[in-house]
Amino acid sequence: MKANELPIINFLQAPNVQFVIPVYQRNYDWSNNECKELINDIIAVEQHNRGTHFIGSIVFIHEGAYSTSEVKELVIIDGQQRLTTINIIYVALYCFAKDNGLKNEADMLFNMYLTNQYVQQESSKLKLKQTDTNSLAFKAIMNGTENEYGHYSNVIENFNYFKTVITEESFPLIMNGLKRLIFVEISLERGKDDPQRIFESLNSTGLDLSQSDLIRNYILMDLDPKNQNKIFEQIWSPIEENAKDIVKQKSVVSDYIRDYLTLKNKKIPNKTNVYLEFKKLYEQKDEAYLQELENIKSLSIHYKKFINPSTVADLNVRKELEYISRLEINVAYPFLLQVFEDKENGLVTDQELVNILKLIQTYIWRRFVVGSPTSSLNKIFMTLYSEVDPENYFESIAIALVKKKGTGKFPTDEDLKTSLKDKDLYNIQSKNRNYMFELLENFNNKEYVDTSNEKITIEHIFPQTPNEDWEKSITPDDYFMFKEKYLNTIANLTLSGNNGALSNKSFQDKKVMNRNDGEQGYKFSRLWLNTYLKDIEKWDVENYDNRFTQIYNRFLKIWEYPNVIIPIAENTDEQNIFDAGSPTHKKLEYFIFENNRVEEEAIAQMYFYVIDKLYDKNAQLLLEATDILKITREESDFRAPQPLKNSYFIESNIDSSSKFSTLKKLLTLFELEDDLLIKYSDSESENLQNGPYLRREFWKQLLPLVQETSLFANVSPGKDHWINCGSGVSGLVYSLVVTQKYARMEFAISTSNKEVNKKYFSKLMANKEEIEEIFGDQLEWDELADYKMSRIRYQLNNVSLFDKNDWEKMSTFLIKHLPQFEKALKPFVMKLN
């Protein structure tokens, strides 16, 4: 790396040099405000004869072998906003000179600062080489056709601003002021310097760049220009397009990557740490990394459906996604990413997908009605996919949710009934209120009622400000109950197109009102919510109770409690440490602290981990809590000293119950009572039906035995029913799959493009005989014409993951045939690349 301080004009007027803004750079986004500040500085430094004005640094890489023969390409990795703006100023100066008869100045500006005068290749002519829309906008101002440019562009907006500033008086001031600008030129050499690390240092505040900007740069920056453009066009650009809210015209790429990382890591990254978590996950940019980029692109197609339900073709799925979007159930997105991918690959039927979306709404809506805390939802959906059984897809999800206890509980019908009768459902957020009335009114209704119609409003049957007739028509006790308890509850609310007319009138008036033949009364209404009101003569507590029962029964049909049976032996609940039973003689399966999931058996290790994190959070608060925990730098103060950070020690020789007691006190002190969840390890008998546990145990014993092939050498055991590894071609993976019916190996052709998958499958199918001859047996060739994925597989039937007596047979099958499976396919797979 070389750094020099020099005038900007020396940099810009160097002959046969082109400043390349690479595709991974964010868009040019300086507004008139930044431009005004810069042009004022340029004028002031000349006007007041200040000597020089420093404008910061410009960092670039000289591409060397990648450059054209005519020009020297400098790829700008930092400083593009300033560099682009100064170029726009020079274009504005050039246009002014040309329009005002200053031929010599115009020629000088054009040939020295804006173009490479003598090069032949058109793409090398402009000194500033941009990408996409910025490139087109810059060419428009150079050609004087900016008024014909059909899109909004900061390039053109700022050019027009500079044109208003440049006058006969200011022209020489700006020209000379530009000569006084100095900057630090930082030149990097590809292969020797680390541009990403330097870039991070220059942008360490994190104020200017979004998490997605940093991730984009990390993916693209260290590639040569050819591969930069390839990865940008084939991977990153589709991700940005998919992760865009088309209504708000807002990018949500950072949110998408955060949800993807949650699915991948089973822990939720802090919004400000998304880039760091992504970088940590993919420090090695190997084949697995390239394969995962393809997977990120593939999953982004589903994310587009979540944030833009209107783009979904299936009307039933679209409707449920719209409801999920309206209720803002974003916490479910990580889970739904994989569910929708399974749908694309034929593992989930259309009806199952709709049922899953309804189940999520039911779980969330029932919890809302009963007032369950929302803080636990992130953790629940973070790990929910590990509970999926591919043989009983929907049922396994339902069982996983019904099993939840404590803060994650799925409210029962009785829980719902108790809360529903007394809950104020009028003074809630409009999105929730509208959702509830829309579904209540339209359940099993073949003639859909648009409850969002502005003419249809919520009506209090017993009014908020009742007239004097109400006191005469019902008993004082009923009047009191309506006024003080039932006023805003569901059974006293209905929908009406005549709310203003009905107002605070008596029930009889509301029922029969027909002013000017307008049929305002309940008896004329075609809404289901008014059906019961047509047939009663007064609105008292007895009729309120009857109507409540009617609405409650409809609630149970719309937001139906899952009809599933929980296996008796299974006990896989996560619990808040304050709700958990005694830890004596128990081990953990894992714990979750502040959304970070840690696979750990020893309670002692969890104890040390949490205290360590509390020290990081507030060392002073922890050290001063001497009545809860003794912490000193004297190792001799403890029987079994456990090192903490910064040379501190704590006692480790205490029983598990004491550790729990200390942690509870510390969590209360730090106001983190809801932030430590534990999962006790199940006994052998209890785990006989525990799918996630059994899968991890099976992979754990299998992977060390796979030795005659390098496939899966770097794969860790997980809780899914499959494990994957790359094949050397993006989007094509080898998989091992175990279920309660079979064990198999498969070659999955699963790029994000269905047509490409079918083309690859056809090419391999053309060599079917030779492939099977090498393998030594017939394979199953599944084109799966209606789905995105295609696959080639070899399967052992009549074995079950849930029968440990079958594990040896399953393992032997996979270990024996996997090397030959790879050997047969690999030569033909590599030709696809």
Side-chain angles (χ1 to χ4, degrees), residues 441 449-451 453-459 494-503 510 513 518-522 524-527 529-530:
E441 181 59 41
V449 178
D450 181 9
T451 56
N453 185 330
E454 61 182 18
K455 294 181 180 179
I456 297 179
T457 57
I458 298 173
E459 152 81 359
T494 190
L495 294 176
S496 172
N498 303 284
N499 199 357
L502 299 176
S503 186
K510 289 186 176 191
M513 183 179 288
E519 297 185 344
Q520 296 92 348
Y522 299 143
F524 305 107
S525 175
R526 288 178 289 278
L527 299 176
L529 280 162
N530 292 323

Side-chain angles (χ1 to χ4, degrees), residues 207-258:
L207 296 176
D208 294 328
L209 293 170
S210 70
Q211 296 296 297
S212 61
D213 288 329
L214 292 165
I215 292 169
R216 179 186 60 219
N217 292 357
Y218 180 71
I219 291 172
L220 298 170
M221 185 175 285
D222 60 355
L223 301 173
D224 61 72
K226 180 180 177 181
N227 281 316
Q228 273 180 7
N229 284 297
K230 178 182 176 183
I231 297 296
F232 179 79
E233 294 295 335
Q234 295 182 4
I235 300 290
W236 188 258
S237 184
I239 290 173
E240 287 193 326
E241 185 63 28
N242 290 330
K244 182 178 182 180
D245 186 321
I246 60 177
V247 174
K248 298 177 182 177
Q249 285 296 296
K250 176 186 175 183
S251 172
V252 290
V253 174
S254 297
D255 293 336
Y256 165 58
I257 299 295
R258 184 172 185 243

